[in-house]
Amino acid sequence: MNPIVSTILISSLGLGTTLTFIGSHWLLVWMGLEINTLAIIPLMMRQHHPRAVEATTKYFITQATASALLLFASITNAWTSGEWSLTEMINPTSATLALTALALKIGLAPLHFWLPEVLQGLDLTTGLILSTWQKLAPFAILLQLHPLLNPNLLLSLGILSTIIGGWGGLNQTQLQKILAYSSIANLGWMITILHYAPNLTLLNLILYIIMTLTTFLLFKTFNSTKINSIASSSTKSPLLSIITLLTLLSLGGLPPLSGFMPKWLILPELTKQSLFIPATIMALMALLSLFFYLRLCYTTTLTMNPNPTNMSSSWRTKSNHPTLILLTSATLSILLLPLTPTIFMLI
């Protein structure tokens, strides 16, 4: 893709998210979401591959439906209350419609069906943008609307997302689909606690973005899209395979890694609200997610590539990938748990 075009598209992504962050008027917020969607579509289609075109079409139809539903919710609220302000959504029907639209935008269950298929058809770089940056704008709206949203509906969406995210990733062999179901499960944890402790939702979102960034960069470094293709990573780069192991375990929420922090804080908060059964279900579903992360860890570090090669190994060749970003994100993905009290006070 032409560098000028890439610069314009990436700038438009930033502009759309910024508009949503700073906007307090529903039309301005909706405009930011639309700019965001339209800017990523050419990036998704840059491969000119049938799978990429199919994924882009599915993404466009889904996001257009969610945007139309969100606009309808804001117009309905303005019609009944006379207010276009984001925080003045006093009509419960409009608030429910807005929550449904935003759940469809980010891929919450049961509106998640597009996310694994779309991620599967994209390359790792665009998949990274879709899994991290595109979540920021909808969550900025949800964090502002959280007192107005139905807590029972939020709890139902969150629990269903953790269940589907845990079960859906068990039988997958494609790395993008595994990361898609991982995203659904993590989004479930964020949505469940949104009404009771929005600061924990923000903390979970930040940690999820850091860990997902590290995982995508590692898979991009290994040039892997399937479970079998990462079996040779331990021979190519033993250090990166160890970092991959720790990052995947952190994504699964295993102590004493950074990914354990949000679960450590969310489960006691749910018990304080007397939500014992949802907390138990989510903890059990976290074990399912941990299982398919452990399967990835086993393939990455404890198995060898079954295909023998008759040429010299290339594991010491110099990589052209940005190592500083990978090093920083990997460090944050693994070593943040001891700083939990400080981070919690800051947020």
Side-chain angles (χ1 to χ4, degrees), residues 311-332:
M311 61 186 71
S312 58
S313 177
S314 60
W315 66 286
R316 290 192 182 275
T317 55
K318 187 175 180 181
S319 173
N320 294 323
H321 296 287
T323 54
L324 181 60
I325 299 174
L326 178 57
L327 178 63
T328 306
S329 61
T331 304
L332 295 174

Side-chain angles (χ1 to χ4, degrees), residues 201-221:
T201 297
L202 181 60
L203 173 63
N204 199 347
L205 178 63
I206 293 170
L207 283 174
Y208 161 75
I209 288 175
I210 292 171
M211 292 185 294
T212 306
L213 171 65
T214 308
T215 308
F216 269 98
L217 288 178
L218 287 167
F219 289 159
K220 187 171 174 58
T221 303

